[in-house]
Amino acid sequence: MMQQTSTLSSPRLPWAALWATCLLALGMVFLGQAVGGRQALLLLLGGALGLTLYHAAFGFTSAWRVFILDRRGAGLRAQMVMLALAVLLFFPALGAGSLFGEAVRGNVSPLSTSVVVGAFLFGIGMQLGGGCASGTLFTAGGGNARMLVTLLFFVIGSLIATQHLGWWFALPSLPPTSLVTRLGVLPGILVSLAAFALIAGVSVVLERRRHGSLEVTVPGEHQGAARLLRGSWPLVWGAIALAILNFVTLALAGRPWGVTSAFALWGAKGAGLLGLDVSDWAFWQQPANARALAEPFWFDVTSVMNLGIMLGALAAAGLAGRFAPSLRIPARSLVAAVLGGLLLGYGARLAYGCNIGAYFSGIASGSLHGWLWLVAAFFGNSLGVRLRPFFFPGERRVERLTGC
């Protein structure tokens, strides 16, 4: 007993957290000199997002899966809290067109056939790949080796999609529409809040109908300052932090948080290293994309923030004492990671973004395409949930127990 007490009172040094912190610091110094101070701050902001995502275990994929299978809606309601706060922060700034004296713009895209198809494919990919865009980054950064496979094929799927986007974007669509410009700031906020309240209310009704009461939150292992540093956080902490950090992204980058555009860029640069020149593809001839392809990746805001997310998650995993990578991945699970990653990457490009760029930042921008993405992706998740037992046999028993 004395030996056990001594072990508990002398926790192992969190080497993963120390390495992640050092890499973040070195990265900020490099970016400050090579690009500028704002780019260095965006790397740090990505680190804060990664730490938040990991400590709050704020996964869109698991939240939707639990609701679809078991009608537990805590994760879905946390997303509504996140979106509500984001709308309150974003709409006034987007209505004014500037924030702290700097021009800002929202993520507003067409309501197109490609959004419906892309979000549906992305939804399936979420359940097979085991994560969304942000989820793939923070779980891979936190030491999940399987999610590195998902990430690799996420990148490949994104690159493949860039060759086909001309055909997809030529399909029928409606023009980009924002509640901020169509209704005005205050009416747009009120309509959005009513929609969030309706979704949260439906989740409460369905959960109580299935279980009789709402799920009780289990207290965290740590309390006070230790919980803030080492986790785990309540979902609502994560929701509030993500909304605020997305708003900071708007202030620093001039546009909301996004993830998957960087994956297409990584794929294109990787293809170049392997001898495949994609610069003559129509997508990569667009001025902004051509410039990103020609510049070093550290000039790309999204790439820098993605790297920060992974380092932030690595730091969080080290602080929580959970960084323990394992290369033992069952064959079926590995196949699911490959298929899921391809669907995630391909679907995100068709849908003008992912659960972050299209859903979170799109709805925060007042874009109706964000709502269209939500509906199509939810149906994709519903199908993906039913495909999962083939790749994850251990879930078959859970599915039978829930009657789904």
Side-chain angles (χ1 to χ4, degrees), residues 24 41-58 60 82 134-135 137-139 233 238-250 252 255-259 301-302 304-314 316 356 360-361:
L24 276 170
L41 289 176
L42 286 164
L43 177 66
L44 181 62
L45 178 59
L49 285 165
L51 186 140
T52 297
L53 288 163
Y54 189 93
H55 274 342
F58 204 97
F60 295 78
M82 176 189 71
S134 55
L137 285 175
F138 91 77
T139 50
W233 295 0
I240 293 170
L242 290 176
I244 293 173
L245 292 171
N246 198 350
F247 186 66
V248 176
T249 304
L250 181 69
L252 287 176
R255 49 85 170 157
W257 180 22
V259 172
V301 167
T302 307
V304 167
M305 290 188 67
N306 285 356
L307 178 59
I309 289 171
M310 297 184 73
L311 290 175
L314 174 60
I356 300 300
F360 182 11
S361 293

Coordinates of all heavy atoms in Angstrom, one line a residue, residues 24 41-58 60 82 134-135 137-139 233 238-250 252 255-259 301-302 304-314 316 356 360-361:
L24 N 5.6 24.1 -30.2 CA 4.7 25.3 -30.5 C 5.6 26.6 -30.3 O 5.4 27.5 -31.2 CB 3.6 25.3 -29.4 CG 2.3 24.5 -29.8 CD1 1.4 24.5 -28.6 CD2 1.6 25.2 -31.0
L41 N 0.7 33.9 -34.0 CA -0.5 33.8 -33.1 C -1.5 32.8 -33.5 O -2.2 32.1 -32.7 CB -1.1 35.2 -33.0 CG -0.3 36.3 -32.2 CD1 -1.0 37.6 -32.3 CD2 -0.1 35.8 -30.8
L42 N -1.6 32.6 -34.9 CA -2.6 31.6 -35.4 C -2.2 30.2 -35.1 O -3.0 29.3 -34.8 CB -2.8 31.8 -36.9 CG -3.6 33.0 -37.3 CD1 -3.4 33.4 -38.8 CD2 -5.1 32.8 -37.0
L43 N -0.8 30.0 -35.0 CA -0.3 28.7 -34.6 C -0.7 28.4 -33.1 O -1.2 27.3 -32.7 CB 1.2 28.6 -34.7 CG 1.8 27.3 -34.3 CD1 1.4 26.1 -35.1 CD2 3.4 27.4 -34.3
L44 N -0.5 29.4 -32.3 CA -0.9 29.3 -30.9 C -2.4 29.1 -30.7 O -2.8 28.3 -29.9 CB -0.4 30.6 -30.1 CG -0.7 30.6 -28.6 CD1 0.0 29.5 -27.9 CD2 -0.3 32.0 -28.0
L45 N -3.2 29.8 -31.5 CA -4.6 29.7 -31.5 C -5.0 28.3 -31.9 O -5.9 27.7 -31.2 CB -5.3 30.7 -32.5 CG -6.8 30.6 -32.6 CD1 -7.5 30.9 -31.3 CD2 -7.2 31.7 -33.7
G46 N -4.3 27.7 -32.9 CA -4.6 26.3 -33.2 C -4.3 25.4 -32.0 O -5.0 24.4 -31.7
G47 N -3.2 25.7 -31.3 CA -2.9 24.9 -30.1 C -4.0 25.0 -29.1 O -4.3 23.9 -28.4
A48 N -4.6 26.1 -28.9 CA -5.7 26.3 -27.9 C -6.9 25.5 -28.4 O -7.6 24.9 -27.5 CB -6.0 27.8 -27.7
L49 N -7.1 25.5 -29.7 CA -8.3 24.7 -30.2 C -8.0 23.2 -29.9 O -8.9 22.5 -29.6 CB -8.4 25.0 -31.7 CG -9.1 26.3 -32.1 CD1 -8.8 26.6 -33.5 CD2 -10.6 26.3 -31.7
G50 N -6.8 22.7 -30.2 CA -6.5 21.3 -30.0 C -6.6 20.9 -28.6 O -7.2 19.8 -28.3
L51 N -6.1 21.7 -27.6 CA -6.3 21.4 -26.2 C -7.7 21.4 -25.8 O -8.1 20.5 -25.1 CB -5.5 22.5 -25.4 CG -5.4 22.2 -23.9 CD1 -4.0 22.5 -23.4 CD2 -6.4 23.0 -23.1
T52 N -8.5 22.3 -26.3 CA -9.9 22.4 -26.0 C -10.7 21.1 -26.5 O -11.4 20.5 -25.8 CB -10.6 23.7 -26.6 OG1 -10.0 24.8 -26.0 CG2 -12.1 23.7 -26.3
L53 N -10.4 20.8 -27.8 CA -11.1 19.7 -28.4 C -10.7 18.4 -27.6 O -11.6 17.5 -27.4 CB -10.7 19.5 -29.8 CG -11.2 20.6 -30.8 CD1 -10.4 20.6 -32.1 CD2 -12.7 20.3 -31.1
Y54 N -9.5 18.2 -27.2 CA -9.1 17.0 -26.5 C -9.6 16.9 -25.1 O -10.2 15.9 -24.7 CB -7.5 16.9 -26.5 CG -7.1 15.6 -26.0 CD1 -6.8 14.5 -26.9 CD2 -6.9 15.3 -24.6 CE1 -6.4 13.3 -26.4 CE2 -6.5 14.1 -24.1 CZ -6.2 13.1 -25.0 OH -5.8 11.8 -24.6
H55 N -9.5 18.0 -24.3 CA -9.9 18.0 -22.9 C -11.4 17.9 -22.8 O -11.9 17.3 -21.8 CB -9.4 19.2 -22.2 CG -8.0 19.1 -21.6 ND1 -7.4 17.8 -21.5 CD2 -7.1 20.0 -21.2 CE1 -6.2 18.0 -21.0 NE2 -6.0 19.3 -20.8
A56 N -12.1 18.5 -23.8 CA -13.6 18.4 -23.7 C -14.1 17.2 -24.5 O -15.3 16.9 -24.4 CB -14.2 19.7 -24.3
A57 N -13.2 16.4 -25.1 CA -13.6 15.3 -26.0 C -14.8 15.7 -26.9 O -15.7 15.0 -27.0 CB -14.0 14.1 -25.1
F58 N -14.6 16.9 -27.5 CA -15.7 17.5 -28.3 C -15.6 17.0 -29.7 O -15.1 17.6 -30.6 CB -15.5 19.1 -28.3 CG -16.8 19.8 -28.5 CD1 -17.6 20.3 -27.5 CD2 -17.3 19.9 -29.8 CE1 -18.8 20.9 -27.7 CE2 -18.5 20.6 -30.0 CZ -19.2 21.1 -29.0
F60 N -17.8 15.8 -32.9 CA -19.1 15.8 -33.6 C -19.6 14.4 -34.0 O -20.8 14.1 -33.9 CB -19.0 16.7 -34.9 CG -18.7 18.1 -34.6 CD1 -17.4 18.5 -34.3 CD2 -19.7 19.1 -34.7 CE1 -17.1 19.9 -34.0 CE2 -19.4 20.4 -34.4 CZ -18.1 20.8 -34.1
M82 N -22.7 26.0 -28.6 CA -21.6 26.6 -29.3 C -22.0 27.4 -30.5 O -21.5 28.6 -30.7 CB -20.7 25.4 -29.9 CG -19.6 25.8 -30.7 SD -18.8 24.3 -31.5 CE -20.0 23.9 -32.7
S134 N -12.1 18.2 -37.5 CA -11.4 18.6 -36.2 C -11.1 17.4 -35.4 O -10.1 17.3 -34.7 CB -12.3 19.6 -35.4 OG -13.6 19.0 -35.2
G135 N -12.0 16.4 -35.4 CA -11.8 15.2 -34.6 C -10.7 14.3 -35.1 O -9.9 13.8 -34.3
L137 N -8.0 15.5 -36.5 CA -6.8 16.2 -36.1 C -6.4 16.0 -34.7 O -5.3 15.7 -34.3 CB -6.9 17.7 -36.4 CG -6.8 18.1 -37.9 CD1 -7.0 19.6 -38.1 CD2 -5.4 17.8 -38.5
F138 N -7.4 16.2 -33.8 CA -7.1 16.2 -32.4 C -6.9 14.8 -31.8 O -6.1 14.6 -30.9 CB -8.1 17.0 -31.5 CG -9.3 16.2 -31.0 CD1 -9.2 15.4 -29.9 CD2 -10.6 16.4 -31.5 CE1 -10.3 14.7 -29.3 CE2 -11.7 15.7 -31.0 CZ -11.5 14.9 -29.9
T139 N -7.5 13.8 -32.4 CA -7.3 12.4 -32.0 C -6.0 11.9 -32.5 O -5.2 11.2 -31.8 CB -8.4 11.5 -32.4 OG1 -8.7 11.7 -33.8 CG2 -9.7 11.7 -31.6
W233 N -13.0 18.1 -19.4 CA -13.8 19.3 -19.3 C -15.3 18.9 -19.5 O -15.5 18.0 -20.4 CB -13.4 20.3 -20.3 CG -12.1 21.0 -20.1 CD1 -11.2 20.7 -19.1 CD2 -11.5 22.0 -20.9 NE1 -10.1 21.4 -19.3 CE2 -10.2 22.3 -20.4 CE3 -12.0 22.7 -22.0 CZ2 -9.4 23.2 -20.9 CZ3 -11.1 23.6 -22.6 CH2 -9.9 23.9 -22.0
G238 N -16.2 23.2 -23.4 CA -15.7 23.0 -24.8 C -16.5 23.9 -25.8 O -15.9 24.5 -26.7
A239 N -17.8 23.8 -25.7 CA -18.7 24.6 -26.6 C -18.4 26.1 -26.5 O -18.2 26.8 -27.5 CB -20.1 24.3 -26.3
I240 N -18.3 26.6 -25.3 CA -18.0 28.0 -25.1 C -16.6 28.4 -25.6 O -16.4 29.4 -26.3 CB -18.2 28.4 -23.6 CG1 -19.7 28.3 -23.2 CG2 -17.7 29.8 -23.4 CD1 -19.9 28.4 -21.7
A241 N -15.6 27.6 -25.3 CA -14.3 27.9 -25.7 C -14.1 27.8 -27.2 O -13.5 28.7 -27.8 CB -13.3 26.9 -25.1
L242 N -14.8 26.9 -27.9 CA -14.7 26.8 -29.3 C -15.3 27.9 -30.0 O -14.8 28.5 -31.0 CB -15.3 25.5 -29.8 CG -14.5 24.2 -29.5 CD1 -15.3 22.9 -29.9 CD2 -13.1 24.2 -30.1
A243 N -16.4 28.4 -29.5 CA -17.1 29.6 -30.1 C -16.2 30.8 -30.0 O -16.1 31.6 -30.9 CB -18.4 29.8 -29.4
I244 N -15.6 31.0 -28.8 CA -14.8 32.2 -28.6 C -13.5 32.1 -29.4 O -13.1 33.1 -30.1 CB -14.4 32.3 -27.1 CG1 -15.6 32.6 -26.3 CG2 -13.3 33.3 -26.9 CD1 -15.4 32.6 -24.8
L245 N -12.9 30.9 -29.5 CA -11.7 30.7 -30.3 C -12.0 30.9 -31.8 O -11.1 31.4 -32.5 CB -11.1 29.4 -30.0 CG -10.5 29.2 -28.6 CD1 -10.1 27.7 -28.3 CD2 -9.3 30.1 -28.4
N246 N -13.1 30.5 -32.3 CA -13.5 30.7 -33.7 C -13.6 32.2 -33.9 O -13.2 32.7 -35.0 CB -14.8 30.0 -34.0 CG -15.0 29.9 -35.5 OD1 -14.3 30.4 -36.3 ND2 -16.0 29.1 -35.9
F247 N -14.2 33.0 -32.9 CA -14.3 34.4 -33.1 C -12.9 35.1 -33.1 O -12.7 36.0 -33.9 CB -15.1 35.0 -31.9 CG -15.4 36.4 -32.0 CD1 -16.2 36.9 -33.0 CD2 -14.9 37.3 -31.1 CE1 -16.5 38.3 -33.1 CE2 -15.2 38.7 -31.2 CZ -16.0 39.2 -32.2
V248 N -12.0 34.5 -32.3 CA -10.6 35.0 -32.4 C -10.0 34.8 -33.7 O -9.2 35.6 -34.3 CB -9.7 34.4 -31.2 CG1 -8.3 34.9 -31.3 CG2 -10.3 34.8 -29.9
T249 N -10.3 33.6 -34.3 CA -9.8 33.3 -35.7 C -10.3 34.3 -36.6 O -9.6 34.8 -37.5 CB -10.3 31.9 -36.1 OG1 -9.9 30.9 -35.1 CG2 -9.8 31.5 -37.5
L250 N -11.6 34.7 -36.5 CA -12.2 35.7 -37.4 C -11.4 37.0 -37.3 O -11.1 37.7 -38.3 CB -13.7 35.9 -37.0 CG -14.4 37.0 -37.9 CD1 -14.6 36.5 -39.3 CD2 -15.8 37.3 -37.2
L252 N -8.2 37.4 -36.2 CA -6.8 37.3 -36.7 C -6.7 37.1 -38.2 O -5.8 37.6 -38.8 CB -6.1 36.2 -35.9 CG -5.8 36.5 -34.4 CD1 -5.2 35.3 -33.8 CD2 -4.8 37.7 -34.3
R255 N -11.4 35.8 -41.5 CA -12.5 34.8 -41.9 C -12.5 33.7 -40.8 O -11.6 33.6 -40.0 CB -12.2 34.3 -43.3 CG -10.8 33.7 -43.5 CD -10.7 32.3 -43.1 NE -9.5 31.6 -43.5 CZ -9.0 30.6 -42.9 NH1 -9.6 30.1 -41.8 NH2 -7.9 30.0 -43.3
P256 N -13.6 33.0 -40.7 CA -13.8 32.0 -39.7 C -12.8 30.8 -39.8 O -12.1 30.7 -40.8 CB -15.3 31.6 -39.8 CG -15.9 32.6 -40.7 CD -14.8 33.1 -41.6
W257 N -12.9 30.0 -38.8 CA -12.1 28.8 -38.7 C -12.5 27.8 -39.8 O -13.6 27.6 -40.1 CB -12.3 28.1 -37.3 CG -11.6 26.9 -37.0 CD1 -10.5 26.4 -37.6 CD2 -12.0 25.9 -36.0 NE1 -10.1 25.2 -37.0 CE2 -11.0 24.9 -36.1 CE3 -13.0 25.8 -35.1 CZ2 -11.1 23.8 -35.2 CZ3 -13.1 24.7 -34.3 CH2 -12.1 23.7 -34.3
G258 N -11.5 27.2 -40.4 CA -11.7 26.1 -41.4 C -10.6 25.1 -41.2 O -9.6 25.4 -40.6
V259 N -10.7 23.9 -41.8 CA -9.8 22.8 -41.6 C -9.4 22.2 -43.0 O -8.2 22.1 -43.2 CB -10.3 21.7 -40.7 CG1 -9.4 20.5 -40.7 CG2 -10.6 22.3 -39.3
V301 N -2.7 29.9 -43.7 CA -3.3 30.0 -42.4 C -3.9 28.7 -41.9 O -3.7 28.3 -40.7 CB -4.4 31.1 -42.4 CG1 -5.2 31.1 -41.1 CG2 -3.8 32.5 -42.6
T302 N -4.7 28.0 -42.8 CA -5.3 26.8 -42.3 C -4.3 25.7 -42.0 O -4.5 25.0 -41.0 CB -6.3 26.3 -43.4 OG1 -7.2 27.4 -43.8 CG2 -7.1 25.1 -42.9
V304 N -1.3 26.1 -40.9 CA -0.6 26.5 -39.6 C -1.5 26.2 -38.4 O -1.1 25.6 -37.4 CB -0.2 28.0 -39.6 CG1 0.1 28.5 -38.2 CG2 0.9 28.2 -40.6
M305 N -2.8 26.5 -38.6 CA -3.8 26.2 -37.5 C -4.0 24.7 -37.3 O -4.1 24.3 -36.1 CB -5.1 26.9 -37.7 CG -5.0 28.4 -37.6 SD -6.6 29.2 -37.7 CE -7.4 28.7 -36.1
N306 N -4.0 24.0 -38.4 CA -4.1 22.5 -38.2 C -2.9 21.9 -37.5 O -3.1 21.0 -36.6 CB -4.2 21.9 -39.6 CG -5.6 22.1 -40.3 OD1 -6.5 22.6 -39.7 ND2 -5.7 21.6 -41.5
L307 N -1.7 22.4 -37.8 CA -0.6 21.9 -37.1 C -0.7 22.3 -35.6 O -0.3 21.5 -34.8 CB 0.7 22.5 -37.7 CG 2.0 22.2 -37.1 CD1 2.3 20.7 -37.1 CD2 3.2 22.9 -37.7
G308 N -1.1 23.5 -35.4 CA -1.3 23.9 -34.0 C -2.3 23.0 -33.2 O -2.1 22.7 -32.1
I309 N -3.4 22.6 -33.9 CA -4.4 21.8 -33.3 C -3.8 20.4 -32.9 O -4.0 19.9 -31.8 CB -5.6 21.5 -34.3 CG1 -6.4 22.8 -34.4 CG2 -6.5 20.4 -33.8 CD1 -7.5 22.7 -35.5
M310 N -3.0 19.9 -33.7 CA -2.3 18.6 -33.4 C -1.4 18.7 -32.3 O -1.3 17.8 -31.4 CB -1.7 18.0 -34.7 CG -2.6 17.7 -35.8 SD -1.9 16.9 -37.2 CE -1.5 15.2 -36.6
L311 N -0.6 19.8 -32.2 CA 0.3 20.0 -31.1 C -0.4 20.3 -29.8 O 0.0 19.8 -28.8 CB 1.3 21.1 -31.5 CG 2.3 20.8 -32.6 CD1 3.1 22.1 -32.9 CD2 3.2 19.7 -32.2
G312 N -1.5 21.1 -29.9 CA -2.3 21.3 -28.7 C -2.9 20.1 -28.2 O -2.9 19.9 -26.9
A313 N -3.4 19.2 -29.0 CA -3.9 17.9 -28.6 C -2.8 17.0 -28.0 O -3.1 16.3 -27.0 CB -4.6 17.2 -29.7
L314 N -1.6 17.0 -28.6 CA -0.5 16.3 -28.0 C -0.2 16.8 -26.6 O 0.0 16.0 -25.7 CB 0.7 16.4 -28.9 CG 2.0 15.8 -28.4 CD1 1.9 14.3 -28.2 CD2 3.1 16.1 -29.4
A316 N -2.3 18.3 -24.6 CA -3.4 17.9 -23.7 C -3.3 16.4 -23.3 O -3.6 16.0 -22.1 CB -4.7 18.2 -24.4
I356 N -16.5 21.9 -39.6 CA -16.0 23.2 -39.1 C -16.3 24.3 -40.1 O -17.0 25.2 -39.9 CB -14.5 23.1 -38.8 CG1 -14.2 22.1 -37.7 CG2 -14.0 24.5 -38.3 CD1 -14.9 22.3 -36.4
F360 N -20.1 24.5 -38.6 CA -19.8 25.5 -37.5 C -19.7 26.9 -38.1 O -20.4 27.8 -37.8 CB -18.6 25.0 -36.8 CG -18.2 25.8 -35.6 CD1 -19.1 26.8 -35.0 CD2 -17.0 25.6 -34.9 CE1 -18.7 27.6 -33.9 CE2 -16.7 26.4 -33.8 CZ -17.5 27.4 -33.3
S361 N -18.6 27.1 -38.9 CA -18.4 28.5 -39.4 C -19.4 28.9 -40.4 O -19.7 30.1 -40.5 CB -17.0 28.5 -40.0 OG -16.0 28.3 -39.0

